[in-house]
Amino acid sequence: MVNFRKKLWKITSEYIRKRDRGVCFTCGRYCEGQNYHAGHYIPSSICGINLRYDERNIHGQCYNCNINLGGFGAMYERKLLEVSGKEKVDELWEIKKQNGKWYQKDYQNKIEYYQNKLREL
């Protein structure tokens, strides 16, 4: 299962960074390469499997915001509320409450989903 998780995160991260075109969601700085990350609104350490690979919970972030500022949660939430609205942000917190268990097929389906999304960009 570890290989599927790594593969899924790699393609999810690639999709997010291409989708967001090098612009940090929280501070607006342009960055590229290893200084540009895919950062979670609800941190991956607590969000659970249902949000870990959910593009609504992940945006491009610079190294400083994602690593040095620990995700810059307050600004992330402010920006997410502006972009998506309170209803969508509340929906993410509701999804977090759900316990999920993924199987090999779930990972494979999500990998295929992001492969298709990348082709569309």
Side-chain angles (χ1 to χ4, degrees):
M1 193 64 69
V2 172
N3 290 335
F4 285 111
R5 288 180 185 157
K6 285 182 181 180
K7 185 174 182 177
L8 178 53
W9 177 246
K10 183 178 179 182
I11 196 162
T12 302
S13 176
E14 180 182 357
Y15 168 72
I16 296 300
R17 290 179 286 119
K18 283 188 179 183
R19 178 196 71 185
D20 294 354
R21 299 176 183 195
V23 178
C24 179
F25 186 72
T26 47
C27 75
R29 183 180 309 152
Y30 178 80
C31 44
E32 57 189 12
Q34 292 183 342
N35 291 320
Y36 194 48
H37 295 200
H40 291 80
Y41 164 58
I42 301 174
S44 61
S45 60
I46 64 166
C47 70
I49 196 70
N50 293 328
L51 288 176
R52 183 162 297 151
Y53 309 103
D54 189 321
E55 65 200 89
R56 298 170 297 175
N57 189 47
I58 311 167
H59 294 84
Q61 284 191 299
C62 67
Y63 180 90
N64 186 57
C65 288
N66 191 40
I67 302 300
N68 294 338
L69 299 177
F72 204 0
M75 183 59 75
Y76 204 137
E77 183 169 64
R78 181 174 149 204
K79 297 280 186 166
L80 198 56
L81 285 166
E82 288 175 14
V83 171
S84 301
K86 184 172 179 355
E87 185 177 303
K88 295 293 182 185
V89 172
D90 289 346
E91 185 178 319
L92 292 176
W93 287 103
E94 285 302 314
I95 293 169
K96 181 199 176 298
K97 293 177 187 176
Q98 301 167 5
N99 291 325
K101 181 167 175 70
W102 282 26
Y103 299 93
Q104 182 174 330
K105 188 66 175 165
D106 298 310
Y107 287 95
Q108 290 171 321
N109 288 341
K110 199 69 163 180
I111 288 166
E112 187 176 312
Y113 170 80
Y114 281 119
Q115 286 171 335
N116 289 333
K117 298 279 281 188
L118 273 168
R119 280 192 281 273
E120 293 172 7
L121 289 180

